[in-house]
Amino acid sequence: MWEVELQRRCDRNRKRSKRRAIYCPVHGCYLDSVSQKYQIFADRPSQLQQRGMSRQNASMLIANKTAVPIEGEWLEAFWCEHCQQKNWYYVRKADGGTYELSLAPQELWQQVTGVIDPQGNPSVSEFTRRHARLVSFQGMKDFQFVI
């Protein structure tokens, strides 16, 4: 009787959350997360239709809410131990606790909030971008003053 009770306690302890089984699509090694999850939002009915929603329901949902969060899909950065680099992946949670990974396509960056656009802010001029990258400041060289 004593052994049966110990076994039950051990089984109860095994119900703790486990590490997510996310593996590199290239090398097959375990990937370590190096960022938070960035949730994906749909802002057009076609984005919801691609995920199986009817055209009418998708149109009504987007009309009522400007952006709809998409469940089970996000962008996240992972570190691959084999190739020693960080990559951004589009992650989809599949049935059975498995995950599908693919490199994050450019179109998805516009559907995510809270991340910096890799191409930079489109409203910022090239002059400002160039000066933000400069190490030293030589202000008068770029300004053409006529005296």
Coordinates of all heavy atoms in Angstrom, one line a residue, residues 32-72:
D32 N 16.1 27.8 -28.8 CA 15.9 28.6 -27.6 C 15.2 29.9 -28.0 O 15.7 30.6 -28.8 CB 17.2 28.9 -26.8 CG 17.8 27.6 -26.2 OD1 17.0 26.9 -25.6 OD2 19.0 27.3 -26.5
S33 N 14.2 30.3 -27.3 CA 13.5 31.6 -27.5 C 14.3 32.7 -27.0 O 14.9 32.6 -25.9 CB 12.1 31.6 -26.9 OG 11.5 32.8 -27.1
V34 N 14.5 33.8 -27.8 CA 15.3 34.9 -27.4 C 14.4 36.2 -27.5 O 15.0 37.3 -27.5 CB 16.6 35.1 -28.2 CG1 17.5 34.0 -27.9 CG2 16.3 35.1 -29.7
S35 N 13.1 36.1 -27.6 CA 12.2 37.2 -27.6 C 10.9 36.8 -27.1 O 10.6 35.6 -26.8 CB 12.1 37.7 -29.1 OG 11.2 36.9 -29.8
Q36 N 10.0 37.8 -26.9 CA 8.7 37.5 -26.5 C 7.9 37.1 -27.8 O 8.3 37.2 -28.9 CB 8.0 38.7 -25.9 CG 7.8 39.9 -26.8 CD 7.3 41.1 -26.1 OE1 7.7 41.4 -25.0 NE2 6.4 41.8 -26.7
K37 N 6.7 36.6 -27.6 CA 5.8 36.3 -28.7 C 5.1 37.6 -29.1 O 4.6 38.4 -28.3 CB 4.7 35.3 -28.2 CG 5.1 34.0 -27.9 CD 3.9 33.2 -27.4 CE 4.3 31.8 -27.0 NZ 3.1 31.0 -26.6
Y38 N 5.1 37.8 -30.4 CA 4.4 39.0 -31.0 C 3.2 38.5 -31.8 O 3.3 37.8 -32.8 CB 5.4 39.7 -31.9 CG 6.5 40.4 -31.2 CD1 7.7 39.9 -31.1 CD2 6.2 41.6 -30.5 CE1 8.7 40.6 -30.4 CE2 7.2 42.3 -29.8 CZ 8.5 41.8 -29.8 OH 9.4 42.4 -29.1
Q39 N 2.0 38.8 -31.2 CA 0.8 38.3 -31.8 C 0.5 38.9 -33.1 O 0.8 40.1 -33.4 CB -0.4 38.5 -30.8 CG -1.6 37.8 -31.2 CD -2.7 37.9 -30.1 OE1 -2.6 38.8 -29.2 NE2 -3.7 37.1 -30.2
I40 N -0.1 38.1 -34.0 CA -0.5 38.6 -35.4 C -2.0 39.0 -35.4 O -2.8 38.3 -34.7 CB -0.2 37.4 -36.4 CG1 1.2 37.1 -36.4 CG2 -0.7 37.8 -37.7 CD1 1.6 35.9 -37.3
F41 N -2.2 40.1 -36.1 CA -3.6 40.6 -36.2 C -4.0 40.7 -37.6 O -3.2 40.9 -38.5 CB -3.6 42.1 -35.6 CG -3.5 42.1 -34.1 CD1 -2.2 42.2 -33.6 CD2 -4.6 42.1 -33.3 CE1 -2.0 42.2 -32.2 CE2 -4.4 42.2 -31.9 CZ -3.1 42.2 -31.4
A42 N -5.3 40.4 -37.9 CA -5.8 40.6 -39.2 C -6.5 41.9 -39.3 O -7.3 42.3 -38.4 CB -6.8 39.4 -39.5
D43 N -6.3 42.7 -40.4 CA -6.9 43.9 -40.6 C -7.7 44.0 -41.9 O -8.2 45.0 -42.3 CB -5.9 45.1 -40.5 CG -4.8 45.0 -41.5 OD1 -4.7 43.9 -42.1 OD2 -4.0 45.9 -41.6
R44 N -7.7 42.9 -42.6 CA -8.4 42.8 -43.9 C -9.2 41.4 -43.9 O -8.7 40.4 -43.4 CB -7.5 42.8 -45.1 CG -6.8 44.1 -45.3 CD -6.0 44.2 -46.6 NE -5.1 43.0 -46.8 CZ -3.8 43.1 -46.4 NH1 -3.3 44.1 -45.9 NH2 -3.1 42.0 -46.6
P45 N -10.4 41.4 -44.5 CA -11.2 40.2 -44.5 C -10.5 39.0 -45.2 O -10.6 37.9 -44.8 CB -12.5 40.6 -45.3 CG -12.6 42.0 -45.1 CD -11.2 42.6 -45.0
S46 N -9.7 39.3 -46.2 CA -9.0 38.3 -46.9 C -8.0 37.5 -46.0 O -7.8 36.3 -46.2 CB -8.2 38.8 -48.1 OG -7.2 39.8 -47.7
Q47 N -7.4 38.1 -45.0 CA -6.5 37.5 -44.1 C -7.3 36.5 -43.2 O -6.8 35.4 -42.9 CB -5.8 38.5 -43.2 CG -4.9 39.4 -44.0 CD -4.5 40.6 -43.2 OE1 -5.1 41.0 -42.2 NE2 -3.4 41.3 -43.6
L48 N -8.5 36.8 -42.9 CA -9.4 35.8 -42.1 C -9.9 34.7 -43.0 O -10.0 33.6 -42.6 CB -10.5 36.6 -41.5 CG -10.1 37.5 -40.4 CD1 -11.3 38.3 -39.9 CD2 -9.5 36.8 -39.2
Q49 N -10.2 35.0 -44.3 CA -10.7 34.0 -45.2 C -9.6 33.0 -45.5 O -9.9 31.8 -45.7 CB -11.1 34.7 -46.6 CG -12.4 35.4 -46.5 CD -12.7 36.1 -47.8 OE1 -11.9 36.9 -48.3 NE2 -13.8 35.7 -48.4
Q50 N -8.3 33.4 -45.5 CA -7.2 32.4 -45.7 C -7.2 31.4 -44.6 O -6.7 30.3 -44.8 CB -5.9 33.1 -45.8 CG -5.7 33.9 -47.0 CD -4.4 34.8 -46.9 OE1 -3.8 34.9 -45.9 NE2 -4.0 35.4 -48.1
R51 N -7.7 31.8 -43.4 CA -7.7 30.9 -42.3 C -9.0 30.1 -42.1 O -9.3 29.6 -41.0 CB -7.3 31.7 -41.0 CG -5.9 32.1 -41.1 CD -5.5 33.2 -40.1 NE -4.1 33.5 -40.1 CZ -3.5 34.3 -41.0 NH1 -4.2 34.9 -41.9 NH2 -2.2 34.5 -40.9
G52 N -9.9 30.1 -43.1 CA -11.1 29.3 -43.1 C -12.4 30.0 -42.7 O -13.4 29.4 -42.6
M53 N -12.4 31.3 -42.5 CA -13.6 32.0 -42.2 C -14.3 32.4 -43.5 O -13.7 32.7 -44.5 CB -13.3 33.3 -41.4 CG -14.5 34.0 -40.8 SD -14.1 35.4 -39.7 CE -13.6 34.5 -38.3
S54 N -15.7 32.4 -43.4 CA -16.4 32.8 -44.6 C -16.3 34.3 -44.9 O -15.9 35.1 -44.0 CB -17.9 32.5 -44.4 OG -18.5 33.4 -43.4
R55 N -16.5 34.6 -46.2 CA -16.3 36.0 -46.6 C -17.2 37.0 -45.9 O -16.8 38.0 -45.4 CB -16.5 36.1 -48.1 CG -16.2 37.5 -48.7 CD -16.4 37.6 -50.2 NE -17.8 37.2 -50.6 CZ -18.8 38.1 -50.6 NH1 -18.6 39.3 -50.1 NH2 -20.0 37.7 -50.9
Q56 N -18.4 36.6 -45.7 CA -19.4 37.5 -45.0 C -19.0 37.7 -43.5 O -19.0 38.8 -43.1 CB -20.8 36.9 -45.1 CG -21.9 37.8 -44.5 CD -23.3 37.2 -44.7 OE1 -23.4 36.0 -45.1 NE2 -24.3 38.0 -44.4
N57 N -18.7 36.6 -42.8 CA -18.3 36.7 -41.4 C -17.0 37.5 -41.3 O -16.9 38.3 -40.3 CB -18.2 35.3 -40.8 CG -19.5 34.6 -40.6 OD1 -20.5 35.3 -40.6 ND2 -19.4 33.3 -40.4
A58 N -16.1 37.3 -42.2 CA -14.8 38.0 -42.1 C -15.1 39.5 -42.3 O -14.5 40.4 -41.6 CB -13.8 37.5 -43.1
S59 N -15.9 39.9 -43.3 CA -16.2 41.3 -43.6 C -16.9 42.0 -42.4 O -16.6 43.1 -42.0 CB -17.0 41.4 -44.8 OG -16.4 40.9 -45.9
M60 N -17.8 41.3 -41.8 CA -18.6 41.8 -40.6 C -17.6 42.0 -39.4 O -17.7 43.0 -38.7 CB -19.7 40.9 -40.3 CG -20.9 41.0 -41.3 SD -22.2 39.9 -40.9 CE -22.7 40.3 -39.3
L61 N -16.8 41.1 -39.2 CA -15.8 41.1 -38.1 C -14.9 42.3 -38.2 O -14.6 43.0 -37.3 CB -15.1 39.8 -37.9 CG -14.3 39.6 -36.6 CD1 -15.3 39.7 -35.4 CD2 -13.7 38.2 -36.6
I62 N -14.3 42.5 -39.4 CA -13.4 43.6 -39.6 C -14.1 44.9 -39.6 O -13.6 45.9 -39.2 CB -12.7 43.4 -41.0 CG1 -11.8 42.1 -41.0 CG2 -11.8 44.6 -41.4 CD1 -10.6 42.2 -40.0
A63 N -15.4 44.9 -40.0 CA -16.2 46.2 -39.9 C -16.4 46.6 -38.5 O -16.4 47.8 -38.2 CB -17.5 46.0 -40.7
N64 N -16.6 45.6 -37.6 CA -16.9 45.9 -36.2 C -15.6 46.2 -35.4 O -15.6 47.1 -34.5 CB -17.6 44.8 -35.5 CG -19.0 44.7 -36.0 OD1 -19.6 45.7 -36.4 ND2 -19.6 43.5 -36.0
K65 N -14.5 45.5 -35.7 CA -13.3 45.7 -35.1 C -12.2 46.0 -36.1 O -12.2 45.3 -37.2 CB -12.8 44.4 -34.3 CG -13.8 44.0 -33.2 CD -13.3 42.8 -32.6 CE -14.2 42.3 -31.4 NZ -13.6 41.2 -30.8
T66 N -11.4 47.0 -35.9 CA -10.4 47.3 -37.0 C -9.3 46.3 -37.1 O -8.8 46.1 -38.2 CB -9.8 48.7 -36.7 OG1 -9.2 48.7 -35.4 CG2 -10.8 49.8 -36.8
A67 N -9.0 45.6 -36.0 CA -8.0 44.5 -36.0 C -8.4 43.4 -35.1 O -8.9 43.6 -34.0 CB -6.6 45.1 -35.5
V68 N -8.3 42.2 -35.7 CA -8.7 41.0 -35.0 C -7.5 40.1 -34.7 O -6.8 39.8 -35.6 CB -9.7 40.2 -35.9 CG1 -10.2 38.9 -35.2 CG2 -10.9 41.0 -36.3
P69 N -7.3 39.8 -33.4 CA -6.1 38.9 -33.1 C -6.4 37.5 -33.6 O -7.5 36.9 -33.6 CB -6.1 38.9 -31.6 CG -7.4 39.3 -31.1 CD -8.0 40.1 -32.2
I70 N -5.3 36.9 -34.2 CA -5.4 35.6 -34.8 C -4.8 34.6 -33.7 O -3.6 34.8 -33.3 CB -4.6 35.5 -36.1 CG1 -5.2 36.4 -37.1 CG2 -4.6 34.1 -36.6 CD1 -4.4 36.6 -38.4
E71 N -5.6 33.7 -33.3 CA -5.2 32.8 -32.2 C -4.3 31.7 -32.8 O -4.4 31.2 -33.9 CB -6.4 32.1 -31.6 CG -7.4 33.1 -30.9 CD -6.7 33.7 -29.7 OE1 -6.0 33.0 -29.0 OE2 -7.0 34.9 -29.5
G72 N -3.3 31.4 -32.0 CA -2.4 30.3 -32.3 C -1.3 30.6 -33.3 O -0.7 29.7 -33.8

